[in-house]
Amino acid sequence: MAVVSLSEARMRMHELLLDVRVPAEYARIIEDHFLGNEVLGKSSHGIIRFPYVLEYVRKEGAGGAMKEVASTQQSRTFDANRLPGVVAITLAAEDLVAHLDASPESALAAVSVTNYHVISGVLGRYAYQLAAAGYIGIAMASSWAIDAPPGGREPMIGTNPIAVAVPSTNAPVVVDVTTAATAYGKVLLSKANGEEIAEGIVIDADGNPSRDPDDADNGAMLGLGDHKGFGLGLAVELLTGVLVGGDIASREHNDRRDGAMLLALRPQAFGSDNYLERVSALCNLIVESEARPGSDGPRLPGEKYALLRSPSEWPETFEVPDSVWEAFVNV
Amino acid sequence: MAVVSLSEARMRMHELLLDVRVPAEYARIIEDHFLGNEVLGKSSHGIIRFPYVLEYVRKEGAGGAMKEVASTQQSRTFDANRLPGVVAITLAAEDLVAHLDASPESALAAVSVTNYHVISGVLGRYAYQLAAAGYIGIAMASSWAIDAPPGGREPMIGTNPIAVAVPSTNAPVVVDVTTAATAYGKVLLSKANGEEIAEGIVIDADGNPSRDPDDADNGAMLGLGDHKGFGLGLAVELLTGVLVGGDIASREHNDRRDGAMLLALRPQAFGSDNYLERVSALCNLIVESEARPGSDGPRLPGEKYALLRSPSEWPETFEVPDSVWEAFVNV
């Protein structure tokens, strides 16, 4: 493993992004997203993805502006003009927060976005962005077709994550789950390590159960619990890509149109004057409850997000595999 | 099995409900809900639940009116005054549809409701109600604490279902999943049949893996995939019971306060002028895709909801176990 200085990694990212004419404020969003994911321990969405984003910026550019293609008092749809996904969705979340901050009578609002380029990043980050501003945040995004329906063997929808974050008296509570049996990145990791994967995650090209990680691409992935996860993933697909004009059932990984949907609710509008306290009360009961034998005790989802509250509190260093660091410095 | 005439069952329900002073329009909602569930083949939420509802109506009454406790231009929160859950949530969905129908400039709206008495019914029915009116419908509800957190062994949240329904050029697409490893009703069914259940559904009171269906009550249930399903279930809890003043982590089954949240989005507001066609296009690709070996082919979630379109097309009869029919006629 290589021990990486966060500020050094940030500086290098910044230079590389400015070299390919990414505006400084967009560069900062990209750096914050991928380095913040390292802080969260989500190394599958950390600097390992940066060379990939840079390649796309070189190809498609990253200097455009979001274009509003539909709007109402409570909703906006943006065409991201092939901005990087993490820039487009972060800007969409900023827009949503600005709208609700400026409209105290507004109980809820939504922003959808399409035509960004890969990748959409960690959805929990956008939900967190909304919750850190005091709102209940919901974030969803579509991706290339890789999940097969129950009874079927052809990839039809993406691994389509759902993230929900809510404010509390402490850090926001952040839930971020893929609707597939596992994250695609984890399958890639097993593949890199030459390991088999558990049953119930992929099927081979003939539709038979498989433990070969290559079958995520050669066959298909399954939904979490097969029909339940596929159902939720389909719901995400219908609320994102299908709603905003994204590709339908396309297996193309790269030159594609996905969709993201952000929803934010103002908790006070629903009659609860002590929502933050009630959220914390439930969370405290959970973390203080009895452990299962052999476990470290009950865990809340997204506990590490508390680390993101202030960039000045981010750790100075993080570790990545040597190969990831080499790819990063040689990009 | 007993072959039951739908109109006979409806008549008997109607008389019994009127006997306990349920207003005729509320009685009709209860009949439609439980008989419609039989039409859908969801017999775990069919007339088997009716005696239970009747018992609660006898105890708590069912003649009240929903009371608005908070409202904005786009949201309303109702105290259901101990109405039966299926009445309260059906009325909430009607309110949401009426609001959006009357506000064509409105892109989305939400209604939350609390203080209804058990049971909340099949959540997909309310999402369907919104989709049948042309909106993207999302429905969630909390229930008594039965799911343990990852690493923990104490019940902290309900089995908390999520339902999403969207309109298409054919019948609405309806997704309705519990966030627990399986529905509580299915565990009860295994118990009634003297069967063990699969691993990963419940743990015993000491937190050890168990296949004994009694441990759903004596120990705890697990989330779907443990941490993923618990995360989603927690998100539902925070958007429903915790938001609207429901009970927190209470294991009391009956005299309790749950919460339900309904969200509806107007697809046209998001810039898609052919949403229904795009939904149908994806659904058609799915049902026409290749089958897995030994399966009947790919299945869409909620296919049976097409049967609900017109009550005049409901089948004349349905089958229930003799014991269910006897309980129903002897209530």
Side-chain angles (χ1 to χ4, degrees):
Chain A
M1 297 292 270
V3 177
V4 176
S5 147
L6 198 124
S7 55
E8 193 184 322
R10 183 185 285 275
M11 244 176 342
R12 176 155 175 80
M13 279 186 177
H14 200 72
E15 277 168 20
L16 286 164
L17 290 166
L18 263 53
D19 271 359
V20 292
R21 297 166 180 265
V22 175
E25 69 269 30
Y26 291 179
R28 214 160 290 123
I29 291 173
I30 296 172
E31 297 151 27
D32 280 344
H33 190 88
F34 293 105
L35 294 174
N37 293 345
E38 295 287 355
V39 172
L40 290 176
K42 293 186 185 292
S43 46
S44 63
H45 285 76
I47 66 166
I48 192 174
R49 301 287 184 123
F50 181 75
Y52 190 50
V53 170
L54 202 67
E55 178 195 329
Y56 265 78
V57 171
R58 282 188 177 130
K59 206 167 106 188
E60 308 211 33
M66 304 268 274
K67 191 177 119 202
E68 190 181 289
V69 290
S71 82
T72 72
Q73 191 63 34
Q74 316 143 251
S75 66
R76 249 184 266 211
T77 301
F78 289 105
D79 181 310
N81 265 318
R82 307 308 283 168
L83 279 175
V86 301
V87 174
I89 310 176
T90 301
L91 292 176
E94 280 177 11
D95 186 81
L96 186 49
V97 167
H99 165 70
L100 284 172
D101 283 355
S103 318
E105 77 295 342
S106 220
L108 71 163
V111 171
S112 58
V113 52
T114 185
N115 201 28
Y116 45 85
H117 67 65
V118 289
I119 59 178
S120 59
V122 170
L123 272 281
R125 298 290 300 277
Y126 314 117
Y128 174 85
Q129 214 180 322
L130 301 171
Y135 305 107
I136 296 174
I138 303 175
M140 294 175 269
S142 60
S143 46
W144 71 87
I146 188 165
D147 277 18
R153 62 181 164 92
E154 292 188 81
M156 287 288 140
I157 63 170
T159 54
N160 297 1
I162 303 177
V164 177
V166 307
S168 82
T169 56
N170 302 309
V173 180
V174 185
V175 173
D176 181 359
V177 298
T178 171
T179 56
T182 194
Y184 180 68
K186 289 193 181 164
V187 176
L188 289 187
L189 203 62
S190 298
K191 181 176 163 175
N193 295 334
E195 296 162 4
E196 288 201 312
I197 52 179
E199 269 201 25
I201 295 175
V202 301
I203 49 177
D204 67 19
D206 297 322
N208 296 307
S210 163
R211 301 188 55 189
D212 179 353
D214 277 327
D215 280 330
D217 295 309
N218 299 338
M221 289 187 72
L222 299 177
L224 176 64
D226 203 2
H227 69 286
K228 281 186 186 155
F230 184 85
L232 285 173
L234 179 62
V236 171
E237 192 85 28
L238 297 173
L239 273 156
T240 56
V242 173
L243 183 62
V244 295
D247 294 334
I248 290 179
S250 159
R251 299 184 204 178
E252 168 62 41
H253 282 220
N254 299 321
D255 299 312
R256 53 178 288 107
R257 282 172 75 103
D258 288 320
M261 165 66 80
L262 304 175
L263 281 160
L265 287 77
R266 187 188 306 278
Q268 297 76 15
F270 293 87
S272 172
D273 49 6
N274 59 347
Y275 182 63
L276 277 58
E277 288 76 13
R278 289 172 57 79
V279 171
S280 294
L282 175 57
C283 291
N284 289 339
L285 286 171
I286 290 172
V287 295
E288 288 162 10
S289 68
E290 296 287 341
R292 283 184 219 166
S295 93
D296 294 334
R299 293 187 311 279
L300 276 176
E303 283 171 330
K304 286 197 172 171
Y305 275 84
L307 295 171
L308 293 185
R309 261 186 290 194
S310 158
S312 64
E313 291 173 26
W314 289 15
E316 281 293 304
T317 58
F318 59 95
E319 288 195 348
V320 294
D322 293 324
S323 62
V324 170
W325 181 242
E326 274 158 35
F328 180 72
V329 294
N330 295 320
V331 74
Chain B
M1 299 291 271
V3 177
V4 176
S5 147
L6 197 124
S7 55
E8 194 184 320
R10 182 185 286 274
M11 244 174 345
R12 176 152 176 81
M13 281 186 176
H14 200 73
E15 277 168 20
L16 287 164
L17 289 166
L18 264 52
D19 271 358
V20 292
R21 296 166 182 266
V22 174
E25 69 270 30
Y26 291 179
R28 214 160 293 124
I29 291 173
I30 296 172
E31 297 151 27
D32 280 344
H33 191 89
F34 292 105
L35 294 174
N37 292 346
E38 295 287 356
V39 173
L40 291 176
K42 293 185 185 293
S43 45
S44 62
H45 285 76
I47 66 165
I48 191 174
R49 302 287 184 124
F50 181 74
Y52 191 49
V53 171
L54 201 67
E55 178 194 328
Y56 265 77
V57 171
R58 281 188 178 128
K59 207 166 108 188
E60 308 211 35
M66 304 268 274
K67 190 176 119 204
E68 191 181 289
V69 290
S71 81
T72 72
Q73 190 63 34
Q74 315 143 250
S75 67
R76 249 184 267 211
T77 300
F78 289 105
D79 181 311
N81 267 317
R82 307 307 284 168
L83 279 174
V86 301
V87 174
I89 309 177
T90 301
L91 293 175
E94 280 177 11
D95 186 81
L96 187 48
V97 167
H99 166 71
L100 284 173
D101 283 354
S103 318
E105 77 295 342
S106 222
L108 70 163
V111 172
S112 59
V113 53
T114 186
N115 202 27
Y116 46 85
H117 68 65
V118 289
I119 59 178
S120 58
V122 170
L123 271 280
R125 299 290 300 278
Y126 314 117
Y128 174 86
Q129 214 181 321
L130 301 171
Y135 305 107
I136 296 174
I138 303 175
M140 294 175 268
S142 61
S143 47
W144 71 86
I146 189 166
D147 277 18
R153 63 180 163 92
E154 293 188 82
M156 286 290 141
I157 62 170
T159 54
N160 296 1
I162 304 177
V164 177
V166 307
S168 81
T169 56
N170 303 307
V173 180
V174 186
V175 173
D176 182 359
V177 298
T178 170
T179 56
T182 194
Y184 181 67
K186 290 194 180 163
V187 176
L188 289 186
L189 201 63
S190 298
K191 181 177 165 175
N193 294 335
E195 296 162 2
E196 289 202 311
I197 53 179
E199 268 201 26
I201 295 175
V202 300
I203 50 178
D204 68 20
D206 296 321
N208 296 308
S210 163
R211 300 187 56 189
D212 179 354
D214 277 327
D215 280 330
D217 294 310
N218 299 338
M221 290 187 72
L222 299 178
L224 175 65
D226 204 4
H227 69 287
K228 281 186 187 156
F230 184 85
L232 285 173
L234 179 63
V236 170
E237 192 86 28
L238 297 173
L239 272 156
T240 57
V242 173
L243 183 63
V244 295
D247 295 334
I248 290 179
S250 159
R251 298 182 203 180
E252 168 63 41
H253 282 219
N254 299 322
D255 298 311
R256 54 178 288 104
R257 283 172 75 101
D258 288 320
M261 165 66 80
L262 304 175
L263 281 160
L265 286 78
R266 187 188 305 277
Q268 296 76 14
F270 293 86
S272 173
D273 49 5
N274 58 349
Y275 183 63
L276 277 59
E277 289 76 12
R278 288 172 58 79
V279 172
S280 294
L282 175 56
C283 291
N284 289 339
L285 286 171
I286 290 171
V287 295
E288 287 162 11
S289 67
E290 297 287 340
R292 284 184 218 166
S295 94
D296 294 335
R299 294 187 310 280
L300 276 177
E303 283 171 331
K304 285 197 172 170
Y305 275 85
L307 295 170
L308 293 185
R309 263 186 289 196
S310 159
S312 64
E313 292 172 26
W314 289 15
E316 280 293 305
T317 59
F318 59 95
E319 289 195 348
V320 294
D322 293 324
S323 61
V324 170
W325 181 242
E326 274 158 35
F328 179 72
V329 294
N330 295 321
V331 75

